[in-house]
Coordinates of all heavy atoms in Angstrom, one line a residue:
M16 N 0.8 -1.2 0.0 CA 0.0 0.0 0.0 C 0.9 1.3 0.0 O 0.5 2.3 -0.6 CB -1.0 0.0 1.2 CG -2.1 -1.0 1.1 SD -3.5 -0.7 2.2 CE -2.8 -0.8 3.8
L17 N 2.0 1.2 0.7 CA 2.9 2.3 0.7 C 3.4 2.8 -0.7 O 3.4 4.0 -1.0 CB 4.1 2.1 1.6 CG 5.1 3.2 1.7 CD1 4.5 4.4 2.4 CD2 6.3 2.7 2.6
S18 N 3.7 1.8 -1.5 CA 4.2 2.2 -2.8 C 3.1 2.8 -3.7 O 3.4 3.8 -4.4 CB 4.8 0.9 -3.6 OG 3.8 -0.1 -3.7
L19 N 1.9 2.4 -3.5 CA 0.7 3.0 -4.3 C 0.5 4.4 -3.7 O 0.3 5.3 -4.5 CB -0.5 2.1 -4.1 CG -1.8 2.7 -4.8 CD1 -1.6 2.9 -6.3 CD2 -2.9 1.7 -4.6
L20 N 0.5 4.6 -2.4 CA 0.4 5.9 -1.8 C 1.4 6.9 -2.3 O 1.1 8.0 -2.7 CB 0.4 5.8 -0.3 CG 0.2 7.1 0.4 CD1 -1.1 7.8 0.1 CD2 0.2 6.9 1.9
K21 N 2.7 6.4 -2.4 CA 3.8 7.3 -2.9 C 3.6 7.6 -4.3 O 3.8 8.7 -4.8 CB 5.1 6.6 -2.7 CG 5.5 6.5 -1.2 CD 6.7 5.7 -0.9 CE 8.0 6.3 -1.4 NZ 9.2 5.5 -0.9
L22 N 3.1 6.7 -5.1 CA 2.8 6.9 -6.5 C 1.7 8.0 -6.7 O 1.8 8.9 -7.5 CB 2.4 5.6 -7.2 CG 2.1 5.7 -8.7 CD1 3.4 6.0 -9.5 CD2 1.5 4.3 -9.2
L23 N 0.6 7.8 -5.9 CA -0.5 8.8 -6.0 C 0.0 10.2 -5.6 O -0.5 11.2 -6.2 CB -1.6 8.4 -5.1 CG -2.4 7.1 -5.6 CD1 -3.4 6.8 -4.5 CD2 -3.2 7.4 -6.9
L24 N 0.9 10.3 -4.7 CA 1.3 11.6 -4.2 C 2.5 12.1 -4.9 O 2.9 13.3 -4.7 CB 1.6 11.5 -2.7 CG 0.5 11.2 -1.8 CD1 1.0 10.9 -0.3 CD2 -0.6 12.3 -1.8
G25 N 3.1 11.3 -5.8 CA 4.3 11.8 -6.6 C 5.5 11.8 -5.8 O 6.4 12.6 -6.0
I26 N 5.6 11.0 -4.7 CA 6.8 11.0 -3.9 C 7.7 9.8 -4.4 O 7.3 8.7 -4.5 CB 6.4 10.7 -2.4 CG1 5.6 11.9 -1.9 CG2 7.6 10.6 -1.5 CD1 5.0 11.8 -0.5
T27 N 9.0 10.2 -4.6 CA 9.9 9.2 -5.2 C 11.0 8.7 -4.2 O 11.6 7.6 -4.5 CB 10.6 9.7 -6.5 OG1 11.2 10.9 -6.1 CG2 9.5 10.0 -7.6
D28 N 11.2 9.4 -3.1 CA 12.2 9.0 -2.2 C 11.6 8.4 -1.0 O 10.4 8.3 -0.9 CB 13.1 10.2 -1.8 CG 12.4 11.3 -1.1 OD1 11.2 11.1 -0.9 OD2 13.1 12.3 -0.8
D29 N 12.5 7.9 0.0 CA 12.0 7.3 1.2 C 11.9 8.2 2.4 O 11.7 7.7 3.5 CB 12.9 6.1 1.5 CG 12.9 5.0 0.4 OD1 11.9 5.0 -0.4 OD2 13.9 4.3 0.3
S30 N 12.2 9.5 2.2 CA 12.3 10.4 3.4 C 11.0 10.5 4.1 O 11.0 10.9 5.3 CB 12.8 11.7 2.9 OG 11.8 12.4 2.0
K31 N 9.8 10.3 3.5 CA 8.5 10.5 4.2 C 7.8 9.2 4.5 O 6.6 9.2 4.8 CB 7.6 11.4 3.3 CG 8.2 12.8 3.1 CD 7.3 13.6 2.3 CE 7.9 15.0 2.2 NZ 7.1 15.9 1.5
D32 N 8.5 8.1 4.4 CA 7.9 6.7 4.6 C 7.2 6.6 6.0 O 6.1 6.1 6.1 CB 8.9 5.6 4.4 CG 9.2 5.4 2.9 OD1 8.6 6.1 2.0 OD2 9.9 4.4 2.6
A33 N 7.9 7.1 7.0 CA 7.3 6.9 8.3 C 6.0 7.8 8.4 O 5.0 7.3 9.0 CB 8.3 7.4 9.4
L34 N 6.0 8.9 7.9 CA 4.8 9.8 7.9 C 3.7 9.2 7.1 O 2.5 9.1 7.5 CB 5.2 11.2 7.4 CG 4.0 12.2 7.4 CD1 3.5 12.5 8.8 CD2 4.5 13.5 6.7
L35 N 4.0 8.6 5.9 CA 3.0 8.0 5.1 C 2.5 6.8 5.7 O 1.3 6.5 5.6 CB 3.6 7.7 3.7 CG 4.1 8.9 2.9 CD1 4.7 8.5 1.6 CD2 2.9 9.8 2.6
N36 N 3.3 6.0 6.4 CA 2.8 4.8 7.1 C 1.9 5.2 8.2 O 0.9 4.5 8.5 CB 4.0 4.0 7.7 CG 4.6 3.1 6.6 OD1 3.9 2.5 5.8 ND2 5.9 3.0 6.6
H37 N 2.2 6.3 8.9 CA 1.3 6.8 9.9 C -0.1 7.1 9.3 O -1.1 6.7 9.9 CB 1.9 8.1 10.5 CG 0.9 8.9 11.4 ND1 0.5 8.5 12.6 CD2 0.2 10.0 11.1 CE1 -0.4 9.3 13.1 NE2 -0.6 10.3 12.2
F38 N -0.1 7.8 8.2 CA -1.4 8.1 7.5 C -2.1 6.9 7.0 O -3.4 6.8 7.0 CB -1.2 9.2 6.4 CG -1.1 10.6 7.0 CD1 0.2 11.2 6.9 CD2 -2.1 11.2 7.5 CE1 0.3 12.5 7.5 CE2 -2.0 12.5 8.0 CZ -0.8 13.1 8.0
L39 N -1.4 5.9 6.6 CA -2.0 4.6 6.2 C -2.7 3.9 7.4 O -3.8 3.4 7.2 CB -1.0 3.7 5.5 CG -0.6 4.0 4.1 CD1 0.6 3.1 3.7 CD2 -1.8 3.7 3.2
E40 N -2.0 4.0 8.5 CA -2.6 3.4 9.7 C -3.8 4.1 10.1 O -4.8 3.5 10.5 CB -1.5 3.3 10.8 CG -2.0 2.7 12.1 CD -1.0 2.6 13.2 OE1 0.2 2.7 12.9 OE2 -1.4 2.4 14.3
Q41 N -3.7 5.5 10.1 CA -4.9 6.3 10.5 C -6.1 6.1 9.6 O -7.2 6.0 10.0 CB -4.5 7.8 10.6 CG -3.5 8.1 11.7 CD -4.0 7.7 13.0 OE1 -5.2 8.0 13.4 NE2 -3.2 7.1 13.8
A42 N -5.8 6.0 8.3 CA -6.8 5.7 7.3 C -7.5 4.4 7.5 O -8.7 4.2 7.4 CB -6.2 5.9 5.9
G43 N -6.7 3.4 7.8 CA -7.2 2.0 8.1 C -8.1 2.0 9.3 O -9.2 1.4 9.3
N44 N -7.6 2.7 10.3 CA -8.4 2.8 11.6 C -9.7 3.6 11.3 O -10.8 3.1 11.8 CB -7.6 3.5 12.7 CG -6.5 2.7 13.2 OD1 -6.5 1.5 13.0 ND2 -5.5 3.3 13.8
A45 N -9.7 4.7 10.6 CA -10.9 5.4 10.3 C -11.9 4.6 9.4 O -13.1 4.7 9.7 CB -10.5 6.7 9.6
A46 N -11.4 3.9 8.5 CA -12.2 3.1 7.6 C -12.9 2.0 8.4 O -14.1 1.7 8.3 CB -11.4 2.5 6.4
C47 N -12.1 1.3 9.3 CA -12.7 0.2 10.1 C -13.7 0.8 11.1 O -14.8 0.2 11.3 CB -11.6 -0.5 10.9 SG -10.6 -1.6 9.9
S48 N -13.4 2.0 11.6 CA -14.4 2.6 12.5 C -15.7 3.0 11.8 O -16.8 2.7 12.3 CB -13.7 3.9 13.1 OG -14.6 4.5 14.0
Y49 N -15.5 3.5 10.6 CA -16.7 3.9 9.8 C -17.6 2.6 9.5 O -18.8 2.7 9.6 CB -16.3 4.6 8.5 CG -17.4 4.7 7.5 CD1 -18.4 5.7 7.7 CD2 -17.5 3.9 6.4 CE1 -19.4 5.8 6.8 CE2 -18.5 4.1 5.5 CZ -19.5 5.0 5.7 OH -20.5 5.2 4.8
C50 N -16.9 1.5 9.2 CA -17.6 0.3 8.8 C -18.0 -0.5 10.0 O -18.7 -1.6 9.8 CB -16.7 -0.5 7.8 SG -16.4 0.3 6.3
N51 N -17.6 -0.2 11.2 CA -17.9 -1.0 12.4 C -17.4 -2.4 12.3 O -18.0 -3.4 12.6 CB -19.4 -1.0 12.7 CG -19.9 0.3 13.3 OD1 -19.1 0.9 14.0 ND2 -21.1 0.6 13.1
V52 N -16.1 -2.5 11.8 CA -15.5 -3.8 11.7 C -14.1 -3.7 12.3 O -13.5 -2.6 12.5 CB -15.3 -4.3 10.2 CG1 -16.7 -4.6 9.6 CG2 -14.6 -3.3 9.4
D53 N -13.5 -4.9 12.7 CA -12.2 -4.9 13.2 C -11.1 -4.8 12.2 O -10.0 -4.4 12.4 CB -12.0 -6.1 14.1 CG -12.9 -6.1 15.3 OD1 -13.1 -5.0 15.9 OD2 -13.3 -7.1 15.8
A54 N -11.4 -5.4 11.0 CA -10.4 -5.4 9.9 C -11.2 -5.4 8.6 O -12.3 -5.9 8.5 CB -9.5 -6.6 10.0
L55 N -10.6 -4.8 7.5 CA -11.2 -4.8 6.2 C -10.6 -5.8 5.3 O -9.4 -6.0 5.4 CB -11.1 -3.4 5.6 CG -11.9 -2.3 6.1 CD1 -11.5 -0.9 5.5 CD2 -13.4 -2.5 5.8
P56 N -11.3 -6.5 4.4 CA -10.7 -7.4 3.5 C -9.8 -6.6 2.6 O -9.9 -5.4 2.3 CB -11.9 -7.9 2.7 CG -13.1 -7.7 3.5 CD -12.8 -6.5 4.3
E57 N -8.8 -7.3 2.0 CA -7.8 -6.7 1.2 C -8.3 -6.0 0.0 O -7.7 -5.0 -0.5 CB -6.8 -7.8 0.7 CG -5.7 -8.1 1.7 CD -4.6 -9.0 1.1 OE1 -4.3 -8.8 -0.1 OE2 -4.1 -9.8 1.9
R58 N -9.5 -6.4 -0.5 CA -10.0 -5.7 -1.7 C -10.4 -4.3 -1.5 O -10.6 -3.5 -2.4 CB -11.3 -6.5 -2.2 CG -12.5 -6.5 -1.3 CD -13.6 -7.3 -2.0 NE -14.8 -7.2 -1.2 CZ -15.2 -8.1 -0.3 NH1 -14.4 -9.2 -0.1 NH2 -16.3 -8.0 0.4
F59 N -10.4 -3.8 -0.2 CA -10.7 -2.4 0.1 C -9.4 -1.6 0.3 O -9.5 -0.5 0.8 CB -11.6 -2.3 1.3 CG -13.0 -2.9 1.0 CD1 -13.3 -4.1 1.6 CD2 -13.9 -2.3 0.1 CE1 -14.5 -4.7 1.3 CE2 -15.1 -2.9 -0.2 CZ -15.4 -4.1 0.4
N60 N -8.2 -2.2 0.1 CA -7.0 -1.5 0.3 C -6.9 -0.2 -0.5 O -6.3 0.8 -0.1 CB -5.8 -2.4 0.0 CG -5.5 -3.4 1.1 OD1 -6.1 -3.3 2.1 ND2 -4.6 -4.3 0.8
G61 N -7.4 -0.2 -1.7 CA -7.4 1.0 -2.6 C -8.2 2.1 -1.9 O -7.7 3.3 -2.0
A62 N -9.3 1.9 -1.3 CA -10.0 2.9 -0.6 C -9.2 3.4 0.6 O -9.3 4.6 0.9 CB -11.4 2.4 -0.2
V63 N -8.6 2.5 1.3 CA -7.7 3.0 2.4 C -6.6 3.8 1.9 O -6.3 4.9 2.5 CB -7.2 1.7 3.2 CG1 -6.2 2.2 4.3 CG2 -8.4 1.0 3.8
V64 N -6.0 3.5 0.8 CA -4.9 4.3 0.3 C -5.4 5.6 -0.2 O -4.8 6.7 0.1 CB -4.2 3.6 -0.9 CG1 -3.2 4.5 -1.6 CG2 -3.5 2.3 -0.4
D65 N -6.6 5.7 -0.8 CA -7.2 7.0 -1.2 C -7.5 7.8 0.0 O -7.2 9.0 0.0 CB -8.5 6.7 -2.0 CG -8.3 6.2 -3.4 OD1 -7.2 6.3 -3.9 OD2 -9.3 5.7 -3.9
L66 N -7.9 7.2 1.1 CA -8.2 8.0 2.3 C -6.9 8.5 2.9 O -6.8 9.6 3.4 CB -9.0 7.1 3.3 CG -9.3 7.8 4.7 CD1 -10.1 9.1 4.4 CD2 -10.1 6.9 5.5
A67 N -5.8 7.7 2.9 CA -4.5 8.1 3.4 C -4.0 9.3 2.6 O -3.5 10.2 3.2 CB -3.6 6.9 3.4
A68 N -4.2 9.2 1.3 CA -3.7 10.3 0.4 C -4.5 11.6 0.7 O -4.0 12.7 0.8 CB -3.9 10.0 -1.1
Y69 N -5.8 11.5 1.0 CA -6.7 12.6 1.3 C -6.2 13.2 2.7 O -6.0 14.4 2.8 CB -8.1 12.2 1.4 CG -9.0 13.2 2.0 CD1 -9.4 14.3 1.3 CD2 -9.5 13.1 3.3 CE1 -10.3 15.3 1.8 CE2 -10.3 14.1 3.9 CZ -10.7 15.1 3.1 OH -11.5 16.1 3.7
L70 N -6.0 12.3 3.7 CA -5.5 12.8 5.0 C -4.1 13.5 4.9 O -3.9 14.5 5.5 CB -5.4 11.6 6.0 CG -6.7 11.0 6.3 CD1 -6.5 9.7 7.2 CD2 -7.7 11.9 7.0
Y71 N -3.3 12.9 4.1 CA -1.9 13.5 3.9 C -2.0 14.9 3.2 O -1.4 15.8 3.7 CB -1.0 12.6 3.1 CG 0.3 13.1 2.8 CD1 1.3 13.0 3.8 CD2 0.6 13.8 1.6 CE1 2.6 13.5 3.6 CE2 1.9 14.3 1.4 CZ 2.9 14.2 2.4 OH 4.1 14.7 2.1
T72 N -2.8 15.0 2.2 CA -2.8 16.3 1.4 C -3.6 17.4 2.1 O -3.4 18.5 1.9 CB -3.4 16.1 0.0 OG1 -4.7 15.5 0.1 CG2 -2.5 15.2 -0.8
T73 N -4.5 17.0 3.1 CA -5.3 18.0 3.8 C -4.9 18.1 5.2 O -5.6 18.7 6.0 CB -6.8 17.6 3.7 OG1 -7.0 16.4 4.3 CG2 -7.3 17.6 2.3
R74 N -3.7 17.6 5.6 CA -3.3 17.5 7.0 C -3.2 18.9 7.6 O -3.3 19.0 8.8 CB -2.1 16.7 7.2 CG -0.8 17.4 6.6 CD 0.4 16.4 6.6 NE 1.6 17.0 6.1 CZ 1.9 17.1 4.8 NH1 1.1 16.6 3.9 NH2 3.0 17.7 4.5
D75 N -2.8 19.9 6.9 CA -2.6 21.2 7.5 C -3.8 22.1 7.7 O -3.8 22.9 8.6 CB -1.6 22.0 6.6 CG -0.2 21.3 6.7 OD1 0.2 20.7 7.7 OD2 0.5 21.4 5.6
S76 N -4.8 22.0 6.9 CA -5.9 22.9 7.0 C -7.3 22.3 6.8 O -8.3 23.1 7.0 CB -5.7 24.0 5.9 OG -5.8 23.5 4.6
A77 N -7.5 21.1 6.4 CA -8.8 20.6 6.1 C -9.8 20.7 7.3 O -10.9 21.0 7.1 CB -8.7 19.1 5.6
N78 N -9.3 20.4 8.5 CA -10.2 20.4 9.6 C -10.1 21.5 10.5 O -10.6 21.5 11.6 CB -10.0 19.1 10.4 CG -10.2 17.9 9.5 OD1 -11.0 17.9 8.6 ND2 -9.3 16.9 9.6
L79 N -9.3 22.5 10.1 CA -9.1 23.7 10.9 C -10.3 24.6 10.8 O -10.7 25.1 9.7 CB -7.9 24.5 10.5 CG -7.6 25.8 11.3 CD1 -7.3 25.5 12.8 CD2 -6.4 26.5 10.7
K80 N -11.0 24.9 11.9 CA -12.2 25.8 12.0 C -11.8 26.9 12.9 O -11.0 26.8 13.8 CB -13.4 25.0 12.5 CG -13.7 23.7 11.8 CD -14.1 23.9 10.4 CE -14.5 22.6 9.7 NZ -14.7 22.7 8.3
T81 N -12.5 28.0 12.6 CA -12.3 29.2 13.5 C -13.6 29.7 14.0 O -14.7 29.5 13.3 CB -11.6 30.3 12.8 OG1 -12.3 30.7 11.6 CG2 -10.2 29.9 12.4
K82 N -13.6 30.3 15.2 CA -14.8 30.9 15.7 C -14.4 32.2 16.3 O -13.4 32.4 17.0 CB -15.3 30.0 16.9 CG -16.6 30.5 17.5 CD -17.1 29.5 18.5 CE -18.4 29.9 19.1 NZ -18.9 29.0 20.1
T83 N -15.1 33.3 15.9 CA -14.8 34.6 16.3 C -15.9 35.2 17.2 O -17.1 35.1 16.9 CB -14.7 35.5 15.1 OG1 -13.7 35.0 14.2 CG2 -14.3 36.9 15.5
Q84 N -15.5 35.7 18.3 CA -16.4 36.4 19.2 C -15.8 37.8 19.5 O -14.8 37.9 20.2 CB -16.6 35.7 20.5 CG -17.3 34.4 20.4 CD -17.5 33.6 21.7 OE1 -16.6 33.8 22.6 NE2 -18.5 32.9 21.8
G85 N -16.4 38.8 19.0 CA -15.8 40.2 19.2 C -14.5 40.3 18.5 O -14.3 40.0 17.3
E86 N -13.5 40.6 19.3 CA -12.1 40.7 18.8 C -11.3 39.5 18.9 O -10.2 39.4 18.5 CB -11.4 41.9 19.4 CG -12.0 43.3 19.1 CD -11.3 44.4 19.9 OE1 -10.2 44.1 20.5 OE2 -11.8 45.5 19.8
R87 N -11.9 38.5 19.5 CA -11.1 37.2 19.8 C -11.5 36.2 18.8 O -12.7 35.9 18.5 CB -11.5 36.8 21.2 CG -10.7 35.6 21.7 CD -11.0 35.2 23.1 NE -12.3 34.5 23.1 CZ -12.9 34.0 24.1 NH1 -12.3 34.2 25.3 NH2 -14.0 33.4 24.1
T88 N -10.5 35.5 18.2 CA -10.7 34.4 17.3 C -10.0 33.2 17.8 O -8.8 33.3 18.3 CB -10.1 34.8 15.9 OG1 -10.8 35.9 15.4 CG2 -10.3 33.6 14.9
V89 N -10.7 32.1 17.8 CA -10.1 30.8 18.3 C -10.1 29.8 17.2 O -11.1 29.7 16.4 CB -11.0 30.3 19.5 CG1 -10.5 28.9 20.0 CG2 -11.0 31.2 20.6
G90 N -9.0 29.1 17.0 CA -8.9 28.1 16.0 C -8.9 26.7 16.6 O -8.4 26.5 17.7
Y91 N -9.6 25.7 16.0 CA -9.6 24.4 16.5 C -9.8 23.4 15.4 O -10.2 23.8 14.3 CB -10.8 24.2 17.5 CG -12.2 24.5 17.0 CD1 -13.0 23.5 16.5 CD2 -12.6 25.8 16.9 CE1 -14.2 23.8 15.9 CE2 -13.9 26.1 16.4 CZ -14.7 25.1 15.9 OH -15.9 25.4 15.4
F92 N -9.5 22.1 15.6 CA -9.6 21.1 14.6 C -10.9 20.3 14.9 O -11.1 19.9 16.0 CB -8.4 20.2 14.6 CG -7.2 20.9 14.0 CD1 -6.3 21.6 14.8 CD2 -7.0 20.9 12.6 CE1 -5.2 22.2 14.2 CE2 -5.9 21.5 12.0 CZ -5.0 22.1 12.8
E93 N -11.6 19.9 13.8 CA -12.7 19.0 14.0 C -12.3 17.6 13.5 O -11.3 17.5 12.8 CB -13.9 19.5 13.1 CG -14.6 20.7 13.7 CD -15.9 21.0 12.9 OE1 -16.1 20.6 11.8 OE2 -16.7 21.7 13.5
A94 N -13.1 16.6 13.8 CA -12.8 15.3 13.4 C -12.9 15.2 11.9 O -13.6 15.9 11.2 CB -13.9 14.3 14.0
V95 N -12.2 14.3 11.3 CA -12.1 14.1 9.9 C -13.3 13.4 9.4 O -13.7 12.4 9.9 CB -10.8 13.3 9.5 CG1 -10.8 12.9 8.0 CG2 -9.6 14.0 9.9
D96 N -13.9 14.0 8.4 CA -15.0 13.3 7.7 C -14.5 12.6 6.5 O -13.6 13.1 5.7 CB -16.1 14.3 7.2 CG -17.0 14.8 8.3 OD1 -17.2 14.0 9.3 OD2 -17.5 15.9 8.2
I97 N -14.9 11.3 6.3 CA -14.4 10.6 5.1 C -15.2 11.1 3.9 O -16.4 11.2 3.9 CB -14.7 9.1 5.3 CG1 -13.9 8.6 6.5 CG2 -14.3 8.3 4.1 CD1 -14.2 7.1 6.9
P98 N -14.5 11.5 2.8 CA -15.2 12.0 1.6 C -16.1 10.9 1.1 O -15.9 9.7 1.2 CB -14.0 12.3 0.6 CG -12.8 12.5 1.5 CD -13.0 11.6 2.7
E99 N -17.2 11.4 0.5 CA -18.3 10.6 0.0 C -17.8 9.5 -1.1 O -18.2 8.4 -1.1 CB -19.4 11.4 -0.6 CG -20.2 12.2 0.4 CD -20.9 11.3 1.5 OE1 -21.4 10.2 1.1 OE2 -20.8 11.7 2.6
Q100 N -16.8 9.9 -2.0 CA -16.4 9.0 -3.0 C -15.6 7.9 -2.3 O -15.5 6.8 -2.9 CB -15.5 9.7 -4.1 CG -14.2 10.2 -3.6 CD -14.3 11.7 -3.1 OE1 -15.3 12.2 -2.8 NE2 -13.1 12.3 -3.1
I101 N -14.9 8.1 -1.2 CA -14.2 7.0 -0.5 C -15.2 6.2 0.3 O -15.1 4.9 0.3 CB -13.1 7.6 0.4 CG1 -12.1 8.3 -0.5 CG2 -12.5 6.5 1.2 CD1 -11.0 9.1 0.3
K102 N -16.2 6.8 0.9 CA -17.3 6.0 1.6 C -17.9 5.0 0.6 O -18.3 3.9 0.9 CB -18.3 6.9 2.2 CG -17.9 7.6 3.4 CD -19.0 8.5 3.9 CE -18.6 9.3 5.2 NZ -19.7 10.1 5.7
A103 N -18.1 5.5 -0.6 CA -18.8 4.7 -1.7 C -18.0 3.5 -2.0 O -18.5 2.4 -2.4 CB -19.1 5.5 -2.9
A104 N -16.6 3.6 -1.9 CA -15.7 2.4 -2.2 C -15.6 1.5 -1.0 O -15.0 0.4 -1.2 CB -14.4 3.0 -2.6
L105 N -16.1 1.8 0.2 CA -16.0 1.0 1.3 C -17.3 0.2 1.5 O -18.3 0.5 1.0 CB -15.8 1.8 2.6 CG -14.4 2.5 2.7 CD1 -14.4 3.5 3.9 CD2 -13.3 1.5 2.9
P106 N -17.2 -1.0 2.2 CA -18.4 -1.7 2.5 C -19.4 -0.9 3.3 O -19.0 0.0 4.1 CB -18.0 -3.0 3.2 CG -16.6 -2.6 3.8 CD -16.0 -1.6 2.9
L107 N -20.7 -1.2 3.3 CA -21.6 -0.5 4.1 C -21.3 -0.8 5.6 O -20.9 -1.9 5.9 CB -23.1 -1.0 3.8 CG -23.6 -0.6 2.4 CD1 -24.9 -1.3 2.2 CD2 -23.7 0.9 2.3
P108 N -21.5 0.2 6.4 CA -21.3 0.0 7.8 C -22.2 -1.1 8.4 O -23.3 -1.2 8.0 CB -21.6 1.4 8.5 CG -21.5 2.4 7.3 CD -21.9 1.6 6.1
R109 N -21.6 -1.8 9.3 CA -22.4 -2.9 10.0 C -23.0 -2.4 11.2 O -22.4 -1.5 11.9 CB -21.4 -4.1 10.4 CG -20.9 -4.8 9.2 CD -20.2 -6.0 9.6 NE -19.7 -6.7 8.4 CZ -19.2 -7.9 8.5 NH1 -18.9 -8.5 9.6 NH2 -18.8 -8.5 7.4
V110 N -24.1 -2.9 11.6 CA -24.8 -2.5 12.8 C -24.4 -3.5 13.9 O -24.5 -4.7 13.7 CB -26.3 -2.5 12.7 CG1 -27.0 -2.2 14.0 CG2 -26.7 -1.5 11.6
R111 N -23.9 -3.1 15.0 CA -23.5 -4.0 16.1 C -24.6 -3.9 17.1 O -25.0 -2.8 17.6 CB -22.2 -3.6 16.7 CG -21.0 -3.8 15.8 CD -19.7 -3.6 16.5 NE -18.6 -3.8 15.5 CZ -17.3 -3.8 15.9 NH1 -17.0 -3.6 17.1 NH2 -16.4 -4.0 14.9
V112 N -25.0 -5.1 17.5 CA -26.0 -5.2 18.6 C -25.3 -5.6 19.9 O -24.6 -6.6 19.9 CB -27.1 -6.2 18.2 CG1 -28.1 -6.3 19.3 CG2 -27.7 -5.8 16.9
V113 N -25.6 -4.8 20.9 CA -25.0 -5.0 22.2 C -26.1 -5.3 23.1 O -27.0 -4.5 23.3 CB -24.1 -3.8 22.6 CG1 -23.5 -4.1 24.0 CG2 -23.0 -3.5 21.6
S114 N -26.0 -6.4 23.8 CA -27.1 -6.7 24.8 C -26.5 -6.5 26.2 O -25.4 -6.9 26.5 CB -27.7 -8.1 24.6 OG -26.6 -9.0 24.8
H115 N -27.3 -6.0 27.1 CA -26.9 -5.8 28.5 C -27.8 -6.7 29.3 O -29.0 -6.6 29.3 CB -27.1 -4.3 28.9 CG -26.1 -3.4 28.2 ND1 -24.8 -3.3 28.5 CD2 -26.4 -2.6 27.1 CE1 -24.2 -2.4 27.7 NE2 -25.2 -2.0 26.9
V116 N -27.2 -7.6 30.0 CA -28.0 -8.4 30.9 C -27.8 -7.8 32.3 O -26.8 -7.6 32.9 CB -27.4 -9.9 30.9 CG1 -28.2 -10.7 31.9 CG2 -27.4 -10.4 29.5
L117 N -29.0 -7.6 32.9 CA -29.0 -7.0 34.3 C -29.3 -8.1 35.3 O -29.8 -9.0 35.2 CB -30.1 -5.9 34.4 CG -29.9 -4.7 33.4 CD1 -31.1 -3.8 33.6 CD2 -28.6 -4.0 33.8

């Protein structure tokens, strides 16, 4: 997956491999969380790579929001939303049923 991510981003050297692996892991976790599964089948690796590329390219400003009150402005980051085209490439989220026995 790392080689495909580097190809998509136009990265030819190994200097950013650790950072790219971090984004691959985060993308995998986000995709599993979205789908309510512990692991995704290999056929969804392309969607995970696409999400990692999205996270990498938008890491500086995509989730930065600001709120202004009078003369004071506060900046904060919101949770990452998975783009619709990537959601469409992932399996539908599973519903988990949890029973509580009292």
Side-chain angles (χ1 to χ4, degrees):
M16 287 196 303
L17 179 61
S18 60
L19 178 57
L20 180 58
K21 289 169 74 171
L22 180 67
L23 289 173
L24 296 173
I26 298 173
T27 56
D28 63 2
D29 298 336
S30 65
K31 296 183 180 179
D32 282 4
L34 181 63
L35 295 175
N36 279 319
H37 166 75
F38 282 108
L39 281 169
E40 183 177 342
Q41 292 302 314
N44 290 341
C47 286
S48 178
Y49 170 74
C50 296
N51 283 329
V52 295
D53 294 326
L55 288 171
E57 279 189 35
R58 68 179 182 265
F59 298 108
N60 283 354
V63 172
V64 171
D65 287 343
L66 181 55
Y69 170 78
L70 294 174
Y71 178 83
T72 57
T73 61
R74 69 187 181 277
D75 292 329
S76 62
N78 303 320
L79 179 62
K80 307 293 181 189
T81 59
K82 184 176 183 180
T83 303
Q84 291 180 332
E86 295 180 7
R87 185 177 77 179
T88 300
V89 176
Y91 59 95
F92 286 93
E93 286 189 341
V95 173
D96 282 333
I97 298 174
E99 291 301 319
Q100 69 270 18
I101 297 174
K102 284 181 183 179
L105 291 170
L107 292 174
R109 291 186 179 187
V110 176
R111 291 189 182 184
V112 178
V113 179
S114 64
H115 296 282
V116 178
L117 299 175

